[in-house]
Amino acid sequence: MKQTFKHRPELQIEAEFSGENPPVFRYRLSATKIGAGKTPKTVCAVMQNPSYACVEFADKSVQVLERVVFEKKYPEFEGVERLSKYGHPTLIAR
């Protein structure tokens, strides 16, 4: 049984999946702060582990990234308004 996690609040989530039905890969999952500018400062993360996160819910690794980038107040992430997570070509966890 897999645990589901909510995305952090105040984020707009977008996802891009492969074209199969059902999709085999999630290529991109982006979390953008609501109210972000047209060209938001972005952090890019390449994740290798299989993930079941989507627009509706996160998994543990996605939720941790969202917390670190948007909530922990690390100076490296000051002013960041978008987190784009790209998947290494691994299968979506089922």
Side-chain angles (χ1 to χ4, degrees), residues 16-42:
E16 182 179 347
F17 292 90
S18 59
E20 301 85 12
N21 190 9
V24 177
F25 300 108
R26 188 196 68 229
Y27 294 118
R28 180 184 56 84
L29 185 69
S30 292
T32 305
K33 284 185 175 182
I34 293 174
K38 289 186 179 189
T39 56
K41 185 175 177 182
T42 303

Side-chain angles (χ1 to χ4, degrees), residues 48-60:
Q48 294 185 15
N49 57 325
S51 174
Y52 55 84
C54 61
V55 171
E56 293 81 19
F57 54 85
D59 61 17
K60 185 65 175 177

